[in-house]
Amino acid sequence: MQNLSVMDAEIKKELQRKAFHFLSFFYALAYFFIDRGLVLKILGSFLAVEGSIEFGRLLLPGLNQKIVGMFGGIHREEELSRVSGIFWTLAGSFILMAIIPDRTVVFCAMGYLIFGDSAAALVGVPFGTHRFGKNKSVQGSLSFFVVAVVVGLFFFNPFVALLGAAFAAVVECLPLPWNDNFWVPLLSGLFLLLIR
């Protein structure tokens, strides 16, 4: 019974964390409806503010405690002393949109981040029995891949959708520096640009 309550708590925490991933959905919507230059200015401003908050909290322990407390414990342990996933998600999305003008590629790469990465965490954290790397599981990675294929099929032919999803799933698994929320949209977008 205790295992079930622990699993419920983990799922609840991941749902709360992934709600922040859906902020990326609004970045993509803005990119679709608003002039690209204006969107980049807006996201660039958000990035500057978020970066200031992140680095400020890391320099000031009291501020760090207050900010972490505001988010009700949804942070990961390593985020107490490092920049959070919110910053990396915003940074990866901003750079993706800044260097790739192709909207189809941007939307697909953002879809990998929003839906694929969320599926990986929501399946992998509570149900991942075959673990590898730091916080990864076979079940989570397969979930990422399946969801990424579905996302890709909205934008590309099946071959490109499969290749793009496989590449994004590998990037999500790799022990790259910083945070996978930064690398998944950015590297996936560049890969899609090459193969489409």
Side-chain angles (χ1 to χ4, degrees):
M1 194 69 169
Q2 185 180 7
N3 286 342
L4 191 58
S5 63
V6 169
M7 186 180 295
D8 288 344
E10 287 179 346
I11 292 171
K12 182 179 178 182
K13 183 176 178 178
E14 281 307 313
L15 283 170
Q16 290 171 329
R17 282 185 62 80
K18 294 312 162 187
F20 283 100
H21 267 296
F22 281 90
L23 289 174
S24 306
F25 185 72
F26 294 107
Y27 310 156
L29 276 180
Y31 191 73
F32 183 79
F33 288 110
I34 304 173
D35 175 71
R36 179 170 172 256
L38 180 58
V39 170
L40 289 174
K41 286 177 185 173
I42 294 168
L43 287 184
S45 299
F46 286 164
L47 184 59
V49 170
E50 169 60 13
S52 299
I53 292 169
E54 291 286 344
F55 293 107
R57 78 175 177 85
L58 295 179
L59 290 172
L60 303 168
L63 179 62
N64 191 21
Q65 281 186 331
K66 284 182 182 176
I67 290 175
V68 168
M70 284 171 48
F71 287 95
I74 66 169
H75 60 279
R76 293 217 166 101
E77 200 62 37
E78 65 268 16
E79 290 176 328
L80 289 172
S81 58
R82 285 195 286 179
V83 174
S84 75
I86 297 170
F87 173 82
W88 293 117
T89 301
L90 180 54
S93 302
F94 174 75
I95 296 171
L96 171 74
M97 293 176 184
I99 65 174
I100 299 177
D102 187 318
R103 288 175 188 260
T104 303
V105 168
V106 169
F107 291 147
C108 188
M110 294 290 290
Y112 294 159
L113 173 67
I114 298 164
F115 302 108
D117 194 63
S118 295
L122 292 174
V123 172
V125 169
F127 306 113
T129 53
H130 297 84
R131 299 210 170 263
F132 64 94
K134 190 174 177 187
N135 293 315
K136 307 297 178 183
S137 71
V138 172
Q139 292 85 350
S141 295
L142 286 175
S143 299
F144 183 106
F145 173 72
V146 170
V147 170
V149 169
V150 173
V151 168
L153 288 171
F154 280 95
F155 302 101
F156 301 109
N157 66 55
F159 180 70
V160 172
L162 280 169
L163 281 180
F167 181 85
V170 168
V171 170
E172 199 266 342
C173 290
L174 292 175
L176 296 169
W178 304 332
N179 189 288
D180 62 354
N181 296 330
F182 177 78
W183 295 113
V184 166
L186 185 56
L187 295 182
S188 299
L190 292 170
F191 182 75
L192 288 169
L193 204 61
L194 288 173
I195 67 168
R196 62 168 299 177

